[in-house]
Amino acid sequence: MSAHSRRKGHSFERFICSELRLCLGEIVDGPIKRHLDQYQQSGLGDILIPPFSIECKRYASKPEPPAEWWDQAWEAGQQSGMHPVLIWKFDRRPVHTMVPLYLLNDDFPRMKDYTAGLSFETLMMVMREHLGD
């Protein structure tokens, strides 16, 4: 990965932290910040807001997010015992997110392949719901 790509990814993580603070700050216990241990230990999310492990991806352009991105988010969630969340952005396109379907309805099985794509705004609504429990 080039230095430019790393900077772009770190910048996106900081942007997402800022947006999370704006949308969730009053209901989150503790600071919302990048989880820097992820660079020393594999299998950790980029941002941890219990009960959520968030993986962020920023890329120039792709038709769809690669399956490996969700695999990474799922594994980080499994390792931390938290709900996995994938947040990504392609150039000149809005931020998108993916969550496991069970997060929206407890009747769905807790399986990696059952996912839902959400807008960032809808994700904030879902996260507020779970953080308020």
Side-chain angles (χ1 to χ4, degrees):
M1 178 185 296
S2 72
H4 172 73
S5 294
R6 279 191 302 277
R7 280 192 305 273
K8 190 175 187 178
H10 296 171
S11 176
F12 183 59
E13 290 172 14
R14 286 189 294 274
F15 168 76
I16 292 300
C17 283
S18 175
E19 292 297 306
L20 291 168
R21 276 186 220 104
L22 285 172
C23 297
L24 305 173
E26 72 279 353
I27 59 173
V28 172
D29 291 331
I32 297 175
K33 61 183 183 172
R34 294 171 56 218
H35 188 235
L36 299 178
D37 289 343
Q38 63 168 312
Y39 298 106
Q40 298 169 352
Q41 181 182 347
S42 66
L44 299 176
D46 296 324
I47 303 166
L48 301 179
I49 304 174
F52 302 100
S53 172
I54 302 169
E55 186 67 35
C56 298
K57 299 292 183 184
R58 179 72 170 82
Y59 206 83
S61 180
K62 288 195 175 287
E64 295 289 327
E68 296 83 34
W69 291 1
W70 179 246
D71 292 344
Q72 186 178 1
W74 180 265
E75 288 306 316
Q78 293 296 299
Q79 185 165 327
S80 63
M82 297 186 204
H83 304 301
V85 176
L86 173 62
I87 301 176
W88 75 92
K89 180 170 180 8
F90 297 133
D91 288 352
R92 296 173 293 285
R93 292 175 57 192
V95 173
H96 290 280
T97 73
M98 183 180 288
V99 298
L101 208 47
Y102 72 77
L103 202 56
L104 305 178
N105 185 327
D106 288 334
D107 292 336
F108 286 101
R110 291 179 176 251
M111 294 178 61
K112 180 172 78 169
D113 294 337
Y114 291 14
T115 63
L118 308 174
S119 69
F120 188 80
E121 294 77 17
T122 303
L123 174 65
M124 293 301 96
M125 181 182 68
V126 170
M127 288 180 75
R128 279 192 295 271
E129 180 84 13
H130 284 272
L131 288 165
D133 288 346

